[in-house]
Amino acid sequence: MSYGDDATVRKILTESGDTWAVVGLSGNTARAAYGVARVLQRAGKRIVPVHPKAEAVLGEPGYASLAEIPFPVDVVDVFVNSALAGPVADQAVAAGAKAVWFQLGVVDEEAAARVRAAGLDIVMDRCPAIELPRL
């Protein structure tokens, strides 16, 4: 099954809300997560770094897990190995997110099915930094 048709991509980027938890985002400027988070910020999104180190990134305080974020998150952007993506997706559902976005190369069909079954939108194996200019 495909997760992330163009209509879903557009909905998440324009209607799902502007608070994006970026799981796997650290202060390492060489990592893709850093560049994508910067693009999201420039597009008016509030990024929330989620990383075991819980470091501040791009001027935003970091959290060690989704459960530690003390305010609602609209979209959970997942920059972790596919083997770790399922638990993150389940945490996103538990945290009350509206949507989950699995980055390029992050694929977990079972996790995506659970997210959709919980009523959330999901995009898998795509990148918002690539999709935003297409809107």
Side-chain angles (χ1 to χ4, degrees):
M1 182 161 204
S2 172
Y3 293 97
D5 58 39
D6 289 340
T8 304
V9 167
R10 178 177 295 279
K11 180 180 176 190
I12 292 173
L13 291 173
T14 63
E15 300 173 28
S16 292
D18 290 334
T19 302
W20 285 54
V22 184
V23 179
L25 174 59
S26 71
N28 183 344
T29 59
R31 302 286 304 214
Y34 189 92
V36 170
R38 199 167 59 215
V39 168
L40 289 168
Q41 266 191 334
R42 288 185 184 142
K45 309 296 184 190
R46 175 185 183 188
I47 57 118
V48 183
V50 180
H51 189 278
K53 293 180 185 173
E55 58 190 325
V57 182
L58 295 168
E60 294 287 345
Y63 299 90
S65 70
L66 289 172
E68 293 180 23
I69 301 172
F71 48 83
V73 169
D74 300 311
V75 181
V76 175
D77 191 6
V78 182
F79 272 99
V80 299
N81 184 294
S82 295
L84 304 174
V88 173
D90 296 336
Q91 292 163 23
V93 171
K98 297 174 190 164
V100 175
W101 192 299
F102 283 1
Q103 279 294 330
L104 287 173
V106 179
V107 176
D108 184 331
E109 296 282 345
E110 290 178 7
R114 290 194 307 272
V115 168
R116 184 173 280 164
L120 283 68
D121 289 318
I122 175 125
V123 169
M124 184 164 57
D125 197 25
R126 289 177 83 168
C127 177
I130 294 170
E131 303 299 336
L132 275 165
R134 295 179 179 169
L135 291 179

